[in-house]
PDB file of all heavy atoms in Angstrom:
ATOM      1  N   ARG A 174    -113.592-100.608 -11.188  1.00 83.00           N
ATOM      2  CA  ARG A 174    -114.497-101.682 -11.416  1.00 83.00           C
ATOM      3  C   ARG A 174    -114.042-102.929 -10.657  1.00 83.00           C
ATOM      4  O   ARG A 174    -114.896-103.707 -10.105  1.00 83.00           O
ATOM      5  CB  ARG A 174    -114.563-101.992 -12.933  1.00 83.00           C
ATOM      6  CG  ARG A 174    -115.213-100.859 -13.751  1.00 83.00           C
ATOM      7  CD  ARG A 174    -115.709-101.345 -15.094  1.00 83.00           C
ATOM      8  NE  ARG A 174    -114.612-101.866 -15.894  1.00 83.00           N
ATOM      9  CZ  ARG A 174    -113.867-101.168 -16.697  1.00 83.00           C
ATOM     10  NH1 ARG A 174    -114.098 -99.830 -16.814  1.00 83.00           N
ATOM     11  NH2 ARG A 174    -112.912-101.728 -17.453  1.00 83.00           N
ATOM     12  N   MET A 175    -112.758-103.203 -10.658  1.00 83.00           N
ATOM     13  CA  MET A 175    -112.218-104.283  -9.880  1.00 83.00           C
ATOM     14  C   MET A 175    -112.573-104.134  -8.383  1.00 83.00           C
ATOM     15  O   MET A 175    -112.951-105.128  -7.691  1.00 83.00           O
ATOM     16  CB  MET A 175    -110.725-104.414 -10.018  1.00 83.00           C
ATOM     17  CG  MET A 175    -110.300-104.887 -11.452  1.00 83.00           C
ATOM     18  SD  MET A 175    -108.470-104.902 -11.541  1.00 83.00           S
ATOM     19  CE  MET A 175    -108.184-105.431 -13.221  1.00 83.00           C
ATOM     20  N   TRP A 176    -112.344-102.937  -7.886  1.00 83.00           N
ATOM     21  CA  TRP A 176    -112.598-102.747  -6.433  1.00 83.00           C
ATOM     22  C   TRP A 176    -114.060-102.934  -6.049  1.00 83.00           C
ATOM     23  O   TRP A 176    -114.394-103.511  -5.051  1.00 83.00           O
ATOM     24  CB  TRP A 176    -112.149-101.336  -6.044  1.00 83.00           C
ATOM     25  CG  TRP A 176    -112.446-100.977  -4.589  1.00 83.00           C
ATOM     26  CD1 TRP A 176    -113.432-100.212  -4.133  1.00 83.00           C
ATOM     27  CD2 TRP A 176    -111.786-101.549  -3.485  1.00 83.00           C
ATOM     28  NE1 TRP A 176    -113.398-100.053  -2.767  1.00 83.00           N
ATOM     29  CE2 TRP A 176    -112.410-100.920  -2.338  1.00 83.00           C
ATOM     30  CE3 TRP A 176    -110.686-102.350  -3.291  1.00 83.00           C
ATOM     31  CZ2 TRP A 176    -111.995-101.162  -1.019  1.00 83.00           C
ATOM     32  CZ3 TRP A 176    -110.220-102.619  -2.023  1.00 83.00           C
ATOM     33  CH2 TRP A 176    -110.857-102.045  -0.873  1.00 83.00           C
ATOM     34  N   ALA A 177    -114.989-102.424  -6.911  1.00 85.00           N
ATOM     35  CA  ALA A 177    -116.391-102.612  -6.600  1.00 85.00           C
ATOM     36  C   ALA A 177    -116.798-104.117  -6.616  1.00 85.00           C
ATOM     37  O   ALA A 177    -117.547-104.568  -5.788  1.00 85.00           O
ATOM     38  CB  ALA A 177    -117.254-101.863  -7.690  1.00 85.00           C
ATOM     39  N   TYR A 178    -116.247-104.867  -7.575  1.00 84.00           N
ATOM     40  CA  TYR A 178    -116.476-106.308  -7.667  1.00 84.00           C
ATOM     41  C   TYR A 178    -115.867-107.026  -6.430  1.00 84.00           C
ATOM     42  O   TYR A 178    -116.465-107.926  -5.842  1.00 84.00           O
ATOM     43  CB  TYR A 178    -115.900-106.846  -8.927  1.00 84.00           C
ATOM     44  CG  TYR A 178    -116.077-108.358  -9.062  1.00 84.00           C
ATOM     45  CD1 TYR A 178    -117.354-108.901  -9.434  1.00 84.00           C
ATOM     46  CD2 TYR A 178    -115.053-109.231  -8.882  1.00 84.00           C
ATOM     47  CE1 TYR A 178    -117.517-110.195  -9.555  1.00 84.00           C
ATOM     48  CE2 TYR A 178    -115.188-110.577  -9.048  1.00 84.00           C
ATOM     49  CZ  TYR A 178    -116.466-111.102  -9.350  1.00 84.00           C
ATOM     50  OH  TYR A 178    -116.576-112.427  -9.510  1.00 84.00           O
ATOM     51  N   PHE A 179    -114.649-106.583  -6.058  1.00 82.00           N
ATOM     52  CA  PHE A 179    -113.919-107.181  -4.971  1.00 82.00           C
ATOM     53  C   PHE A 179    -114.687-107.010  -3.619  1.00 82.00           C
ATOM     54  O   PHE A 179    -114.914-107.892  -2.820  1.00 82.00           O
ATOM     55  CB  PHE A 179    -112.502-106.555  -4.760  1.00 82.00           C
ATOM     56  CG  PHE A 179    -111.720-107.043  -3.655  1.00 82.00           C
ATOM     57  CD1 PHE A 179    -111.061-108.234  -3.673  1.00 82.00           C
ATOM     58  CD2 PHE A 179    -111.688-106.298  -2.509  1.00 82.00           C
ATOM     59  CE1 PHE A 179    -110.364-108.691  -2.633  1.00 82.00           C
ATOM     60  CE2 PHE A 179    -110.916-106.730  -1.402  1.00 82.00           C
ATOM     61  CZ  PHE A 179    -110.236-107.943  -1.492  1.00 82.00           C
ATOM     62  N   VAL A 180    -115.229-105.789  -3.402  1.00 84.00           N
ATOM     63  CA  VAL A 180    -115.976-105.466  -2.199  1.00 84.00           C
ATOM     64  C   VAL A 180    -117.246-106.313  -2.149  1.00 84.00           C
ATOM     65  O   VAL A 180    -117.683-106.859  -1.125  1.00 84.00           O
ATOM     66  CB  VAL A 180    -116.300-103.979  -2.121  1.00 84.00           C
ATOM     67  CG1 VAL A 180    -117.286-103.692  -0.937  1.00 84.00           C
ATOM     68  CG2 VAL A 180    -115.033-103.165  -1.924  1.00 84.00           C
ATOM     69  N   THR A 181    -117.981-106.393  -3.348  1.00 86.00           N
ATOM     70  CA  THR A 181    -119.204-107.192  -3.408  1.00 86.00           C
ATOM     71  C   THR A 181    -118.961-108.667  -3.057  1.00 86.00           C
ATOM     72  O   THR A 181    -119.698-109.253  -2.303  1.00 86.00           O
ATOM     73  CB  THR A 181    -119.811-107.043  -4.766  1.00 86.00           C
ATOM     74  OG1 THR A 181    -120.034-105.649  -5.080  1.00 86.00           O
ATOM     75  CG2 THR A 181    -121.142-107.760  -4.844  1.00 86.00           C
ATOM     76  N   GLU A 182    -117.891-109.190  -3.618  1.00 83.00           N
ATOM     77  CA  GLU A 182    -117.606-110.617  -3.415  1.00 83.00           C
ATOM     78  C   GLU A 182    -117.174-110.882  -1.962  1.00 83.00           C
ATOM     79  O   GLU A 182    -117.528-111.925  -1.403  1.00 83.00           O
ATOM     80  CB  GLU A 182    -116.514-111.133  -4.363  1.00 83.00           C
ATOM     81  CG  GLU A 182    -117.007-111.182  -5.782  1.00 83.00           C
ATOM     82  CD  GLU A 182    -118.235-112.055  -6.053  1.00 83.00           C
ATOM     83  OE1 GLU A 182    -118.141-113.239  -5.603  1.00 83.00           O
ATOM     84  OE2 GLU A 182    -119.268-111.543  -6.563  1.00 83.00           O
ATOM     85  N   ARG A 183    -116.381-109.967  -1.393  1.00 80.00           N
ATOM     86  CA  ARG A 183    -115.982-110.135  -0.007  1.00 80.00           C
ATOM     87  C   ARG A 183    -117.194-110.117   0.898  1.00 80.00           C
ATOM     88  O   ARG A 183    -117.226-110.813   1.939  1.00 80.00           O
ATOM     89  CB  ARG A 183    -115.025-109.055   0.384  1.00 80.00           C
ATOM     90  CG  ARG A 183    -113.611-109.242  -0.218  1.00 80.00           C
ATOM     91  CD  ARG A 183    -112.939-110.459   0.277  1.00 80.00           C
ATOM     92  NE  ARG A 183    -112.714-110.474   1.732  1.00 80.00           N
ATOM     93  CZ  ARG A 183    -111.612-109.970   2.209  1.00 80.00           C
ATOM     94  NH1 ARG A 183    -110.577-109.545   1.462  1.00 80.00           N
ATOM     95  NH2 ARG A 183    -111.399-110.025   3.505  1.00 80.00           N
ATOM     96  N   ALA A 184    -118.169-109.312   0.603  1.00 83.00           N
ATOM     97  CA  ALA A 184    -119.421-109.227   1.378  1.00 83.00           C
ATOM     98  C   ALA A 184    -120.164-110.518   1.348  1.00 83.00           C
ATOM     99  O   ALA A 184    -120.894-110.928   2.266  1.00 83.00           O
ATOM    100  CB  ALA A 184    -120.345-108.054   0.878  1.00 83.00           C
ATOM    101  N   LYS A 185    -119.957-111.335   0.260  1.00 81.00           N
ATOM    102  CA  LYS A 185    -120.607-112.604   0.123  1.00 81.00           C
ATOM    103  C   LYS A 185    -119.787-113.755   0.823  1.00 81.00           C
ATOM    104  O   LYS A 185    -120.189-114.870   0.854  1.00 81.00           O
ATOM    105  CB  LYS A 185    -120.758-112.928  -1.362  1.00 81.00           C
ATOM    106  CG  LYS A 185    -121.717-112.026  -2.097  1.00 81.00           C
ATOM    107  CD  LYS A 185    -121.777-112.500  -3.555  1.00 81.00           C
ATOM    108  CE  LYS A 185    -122.652-111.535  -4.363  1.00 81.00           C
ATOM    109  NZ  LYS A 185    -122.719-111.839  -5.868  1.00 81.00           N
ATOM    110  N   GLY A 186    -118.660-113.374   1.329  1.00 78.00           N
ATOM    111  CA  GLY A 186    -117.869-114.437   2.089  1.00 78.00           C
ATOM    112  C   GLY A 186    -116.808-115.061   1.222  1.00 78.00           C
ATOM    113  O   GLY A 186    -116.255-116.089   1.654  1.00 78.00           O
ATOM    114  N   ARG A 187    -116.492-114.600   0.017  1.00 80.00           N
ATOM    115  CA  ARG A 187    -115.432-115.171  -0.818  1.00 80.00           C
ATOM    116  C   ARG A 187    -114.532-114.156  -1.277  1.00 80.00           C
ATOM    117  O   ARG A 187    -114.819-112.954  -1.387  1.00 80.00           O
ATOM    118  CB  ARG A 187    -116.065-115.958  -1.961  1.00 80.00           C
ATOM    119  CG  ARG A 187    -116.726-115.064  -2.972  1.00 80.00           C
ATOM    120  CD  ARG A 187    -117.261-115.893  -4.145  1.00 80.00           C
ATOM    121  NE  ARG A 187    -116.153-116.493  -4.830  1.00 80.00           N
ATOM    122  CZ  ARG A 187    -115.532-115.889  -5.854  1.00 80.00           C
ATOM    123  NH1 ARG A 187    -115.864-114.717  -6.251  1.00 80.00           N
ATOM    124  NH2 ARG A 187    -114.538-116.550  -6.542  1.00 80.00           N
ATOM    125  N   ALA A 188    -113.257-114.604  -1.580  1.00 78.00           N
ATOM    126  CA  ALA A 188    -112.283-113.636  -2.076  1.00 78.00           C
ATOM    127  C   ALA A 188    -112.025-113.864  -3.600  1.00 78.00           C
ATOM    128  O   ALA A 188    -111.672-115.003  -4.043  1.00 78.00           O
ATOM    129  CB  ALA A 188    -110.936-113.871  -1.341  1.00 78.00           C
ATOM    130  N   PRO A 189    -112.321-112.920  -4.514  1.00 81.00           N
ATOM    131  CA  PRO A 189    -112.123-113.067  -5.895  1.00 81.00           C
ATOM    132  C   PRO A 189    -110.643-113.218  -6.232  1.00 81.00           C
ATOM    133  O   PRO A 189    -109.804-112.703  -5.531  1.00 81.00           O
ATOM    134  CB  PRO A 189    -112.792-111.866  -6.490  1.00 81.00           C
ATOM    135  CG  PRO A 189    -112.697-110.860  -5.476  1.00 81.00           C
ATOM    136  CD  PRO A 189    -112.861-111.570  -4.155  1.00 81.00           C
ATOM    137  N   THR A 190    -110.358-113.850  -7.304  1.00 84.00           N
ATOM    138  CA  THR A 190    -108.956-114.058  -7.726  1.00 84.00           C
ATOM    139  C   THR A 190    -108.559-113.000  -8.743  1.00 84.00           C
ATOM    140  O   THR A 190    -109.378-112.249  -9.229  1.00 84.00           O
ATOM    141  CB  THR A 190    -108.792-115.425  -8.466  1.00 84.00           C
ATOM    142  OG1 THR A 190    -109.562-115.496  -9.622  1.00 84.00           O
ATOM    143  CG2 THR A 190    -109.232-116.549  -7.513  1.00 84.00           C
ATOM    144  N   GLY A 191    -107.239-112.884  -8.957  1.00 80.00           N
ATOM    145  CA  GLY A 191    -106.770-111.969  -9.939  1.00 80.00           C
ATOM    146  C   GLY A 191    -107.314-112.188 -11.326  1.00 80.00           C
ATOM    147  O   GLY A 191    -107.513-111.239 -12.109  1.00 80.00           O
ATOM    148  N   ALA A 192    -107.455-113.466 -11.703  1.00 83.00           N
ATOM    149  CA  ALA A 192    -107.984-113.793 -13.043  1.00 83.00           C
ATOM    150  C   ALA A 192    -109.402-113.254 -13.171  1.00 83.00           C
ATOM    151  O   ALA A 192    -109.789-112.793 -14.235  1.00 83.00           O
ATOM    152  CB  ALA A 192    -107.894-115.249 -13.314  1.00 83.00           C
ATOM    153  N   GLU A 193    -110.168-113.357 -12.104  1.00 84.00           N
ATOM    154  CA  GLU A 193    -111.572-112.886 -12.133  1.00 84.00           C
ATOM    155  C   GLU A 193    -111.562-111.406 -12.378  1.00 84.00           C
ATOM    156  O   GLU A 193    -112.327-110.849 -13.188  1.00 84.00           O
ATOM    157  CB  GLU A 193    -112.309-113.180 -10.860  1.00 84.00           C
ATOM    158  CG  GLU A 193    -112.595-114.664 -10.684  1.00 84.00           C
ATOM    159  CD  GLU A 193    -113.332-114.914  -9.394  1.00 84.00           C
ATOM    160  OE1 GLU A 193    -114.353-114.237  -9.158  1.00 84.00           O
ATOM    161  OE2 GLU A 193    -112.845-115.698  -8.588  1.00 84.00           O
ATOM    162  N   LEU A 194    -110.666-110.661 -11.718  1.00 83.00           N
ATOM    163  CA  LEU A 194    -110.653-109.208 -11.802  1.00 83.00           C
ATOM    164  C   LEU A 194    -110.231-108.807 -13.270  1.00 83.00           C
ATOM    165  O   LEU A 194    -110.667-107.850 -13.776  1.00 83.00           O
ATOM    166  CB  LEU A 194    -109.741-108.538 -10.817  1.00 83.00           C
ATOM    167  CG  LEU A 194    -110.124-108.816  -9.357  1.00 83.00           C
ATOM    168  CD1 LEU A 194    -109.071-108.183  -8.390  1.00 83.00           C
ATOM    169  CD2 LEU A 194    -111.498-108.272  -9.030  1.00 83.00           C
ATOM    170  N   ASP A 195    -109.228-109.545 -13.809  1.00 82.00           N
ATOM    171  CA  ASP A 195    -108.796-109.283 -15.124  1.00 82.00           C
ATOM    172  C   ASP A 195    -109.872-109.467 -16.207  1.00 82.00           C
ATOM    173  O   ASP A 195    -110.025-108.685 -17.105  1.00 82.00           O
ATOM    174  CB  ASP A 195    -107.524-110.135 -15.488  1.00 82.00           C
ATOM    175  CG  ASP A 195    -106.299-109.593 -14.884  1.00 82.00           C
ATOM    176  OD1 ASP A 195    -106.103-108.356 -14.671  1.00 82.00           O
ATOM    177  OD2 ASP A 195    -105.407-110.436 -14.529  1.00 82.00           O
ATOM    178  N   ARG A 196    -110.637-110.554 -15.969  1.00 83.00           N
ATOM    179  CA  ARG A 196    -111.780-110.815 -16.994  1.00 83.00           C
ATOM    180  C   ARG A 196    -112.846-109.723 -16.817  1.00 83.00           C
ATOM    181  O   ARG A 196    -113.427-109.273 -17.813  1.00 83.00           O
ATOM    182  CB  ARG A 196    -112.381-112.174 -16.653  1.00 83.00           C
ATOM    183  CG  ARG A 196    -111.522-113.336 -17.136  1.00 83.00           C
ATOM    184  CD  ARG A 196    -112.364-114.620 -17.098  1.00 83.00           C
ATOM    185  NE  ARG A 196    -112.784-115.000 -15.773  1.00 83.00           N
ATOM    186  CZ  ARG A 196    -112.106-115.786 -15.008  1.00 83.00           C
ATOM    187  NH1 ARG A 196    -110.959-116.269 -15.316  1.00 83.00           N
ATOM    188  NH2 ARG A 196    -112.584-116.094 -13.759  1.00 83.00           N
ATOM    189  N   LEU A 197    -113.071-109.207 -15.632  1.00 82.00           N
ATOM    190  CA  LEU A 197    -114.023-108.178 -15.460  1.00 82.00           C
ATOM    191  C   LEU A 197    -113.650-106.890 -16.093  1.00 82.00           C
ATOM    192  O   LEU A 197    -114.449-106.230 -16.765  1.00 82.00           O
ATOM    193  CB  LEU A 197    -114.253-107.950 -13.949  1.00 82.00           C
ATOM    194  CG  LEU A 197    -115.154-106.784 -13.556  1.00 82.00           C
ATOM    195  CD1 LEU A 197    -116.606-107.203 -13.861  1.00 82.00           C
ATOM    196  CD2 LEU A 197    -114.991-106.496 -12.050  1.00 82.00           C
ATOM    197  N   ALA A 198    -112.335-106.521 -15.916  1.00 82.00           N
ATOM    198  CA  ALA A 198    -111.917-105.197 -16.429  1.00 82.00           C
ATOM    199  C   ALA A 198    -111.273-105.277 -17.812  1.00 82.00           C
ATOM    200  O   ALA A 198    -110.931-104.236 -18.346  1.00 82.00           O
ATOM    201  CB  ALA A 198    -110.876-104.582 -15.423  1.00 82.00           C
ATOM    202  N   GLY A 199    -111.094-106.483 -18.366  1.00 82.00           N
ATOM    203  CA  GLY A 199    -110.484-106.671 -19.638  1.00 82.00           C
ATOM    204  C   GLY A 199    -108.968-106.347 -19.696  1.00 82.00           C
ATOM    205  O   GLY A 199    -108.416-105.955 -20.664  1.00 82.00           O
ATOM    206  N   THR A 200    -108.346-106.678 -18.525  1.00 84.00           N
ATOM    207  CA  THR A 200    -106.904-106.509 -18.420  1.00 84.00           C
ATOM    208  C   THR A 200    -106.223-107.883 -18.353  1.00 84.00           C
ATOM    209  O   THR A 200    -106.845-108.909 -18.291  1.00 84.00           O
ATOM    210  CB  THR A 200    -106.550-105.704 -17.131  1.00 84.00           C
ATOM    211  OG1 THR A 200    -107.121-106.370 -15.968  1.00 84.00           O
ATOM    212  CG2 THR A 200    -107.163-104.251 -17.186  1.00 84.00           C
ATOM    213  N   ASN A 201    -104.890-107.787 -18.305  1.00 80.00           N
ATOM    214  CA  ASN A 201    -104.139-109.061 -18.287  1.00 80.00           C
ATOM    215  C   ASN A 201    -103.033-108.924 -17.150  1.00 80.00           C
ATOM    216  O   ASN A 201    -102.175-108.146 -17.294  1.00 80.00           O
ATOM    217  CB  ASN A 201    -103.442-109.274 -19.621  1.00 80.00           C
ATOM    218  CG  ASN A 201    -102.785-110.645 -19.695  1.00 80.00           C
ATOM    219  OD1 ASN A 201    -102.964-111.477 -18.841  1.00 80.00           O
ATOM    220  ND2 ASN A 201    -101.913-110.756 -20.677  1.00 80.00           N
ATOM    221  N   ASN A 202    -103.123-109.740 -16.157  1.00 78.00           N
ATOM    222  CA  ASN A 202    -102.174-109.826 -15.113  1.00 78.00           C
ATOM    223  C   ASN A 202    -102.196-108.581 -14.159  1.00 78.00           C
ATOM    224  O   ASN A 202    -101.372-108.469 -13.334  1.00 78.00           O
ATOM    225  CB  ASN A 202    -100.738-110.081 -15.572  1.00 78.00           C
ATOM    226  CG  ASN A 202    -100.434-111.503 -15.855  1.00 78.00           C
ATOM    227  OD1 ASN A 202    -101.243-112.348 -15.577  1.00 78.00           O
ATOM    228  ND2 ASN A 202     -99.323-111.755 -16.511  1.00 78.00           N
ATOM    229  N   TYR A 203    -103.103-107.727 -14.362  1.00 82.00           N
ATOM    230  CA  TYR A 203    -103.229-106.511 -13.577  1.00 82.00           C
ATOM    231  C   TYR A 203    -104.053-106.830 -12.241  1.00 82.00           C
ATOM    232  O   TYR A 203    -103.737-106.231 -11.247  1.00 82.00           O
ATOM    233  CB  TYR A 203    -103.966-105.423 -14.362  1.00 82.00           C
ATOM    234  CG  TYR A 203    -103.973-104.045 -13.622  1.00 82.00           C
ATOM    235  CD1 TYR A 203    -102.810-103.431 -13.279  1.00 82.00           C
ATOM    236  CD2 TYR A 203    -105.151-103.490 -13.239  1.00 82.00           C
ATOM    237  CE1 TYR A 203    -102.825-102.223 -12.635  1.00 82.00           C
ATOM    238  CE2 TYR A 203    -105.238-102.297 -12.553  1.00 82.00           C
ATOM    239  CZ  TYR A 203    -104.028-101.637 -12.291  1.00 82.00           C
ATOM    240  OH  TYR A 203    -104.004-100.429 -11.648  1.00 82.00           O
ATOM    241  N   GLY A 204    -104.856-107.866 -12.309  1.00 78.00           N
ATOM    242  CA  GLY A 204    -105.697-108.122 -11.153  1.00 78.00           C
ATOM    243  C   GLY A 204    -104.826-108.627  -9.967  1.00 78.00           C
ATOM    244  O   GLY A 204    -105.102-108.280  -8.803  1.00 78.00           O
ATOM    245  N   ARG A 205    -103.804-109.404 -10.231  1.00 81.00           N
ATOM    246  CA  ARG A 205    -102.958-109.925  -9.158  1.00 81.00           C
ATOM    247  C   ARG A 205    -102.216-108.774  -8.499  1.00 81.00           C
ATOM    248  O   ARG A 205    -101.958-108.762  -7.297  1.00 81.00           O
ATOM    249  CB  ARG A 205    -101.959-110.969  -9.665  1.00 81.00           C
ATOM    250  CG  ARG A 205    -102.648-112.204 -10.240  1.00 81.00           C
ATOM    251  CD  ARG A 205    -101.640-113.251 -10.728  1.00 81.00           C
ATOM    252  NE  ARG A 205    -100.848-113.745  -9.633  1.00 81.00           N
ATOM    253  CZ  ARG A 205     -99.878-114.630  -9.816  1.00 81.00           C
ATOM    254  NH1 ARG A 205     -99.569-115.099 -10.974  1.00 81.00           N
ATOM    255  NH2 ARG A 205     -99.226-115.087  -8.795  1.00 81.00           N
TER     256      ARG A 205
END
Side-chain angles (χ1 to χ4, degrees):
R174 293 199 300 272
M175 290 179 180
W176 176 255
Y178 179 76
F179 177 80
V180 172
T181 302
E182 293 302 305
R183 287 296 296 269
K185 296 178 182 178
R187 65 177 297 272
T190 65
E193 291 180 53
L194 299 179
D195 283 328
R196 286 194 296 270
L197 174 71
T200 57
N201 186 16
N202 278 353
Y203 187 61
R205 297 181 64 180

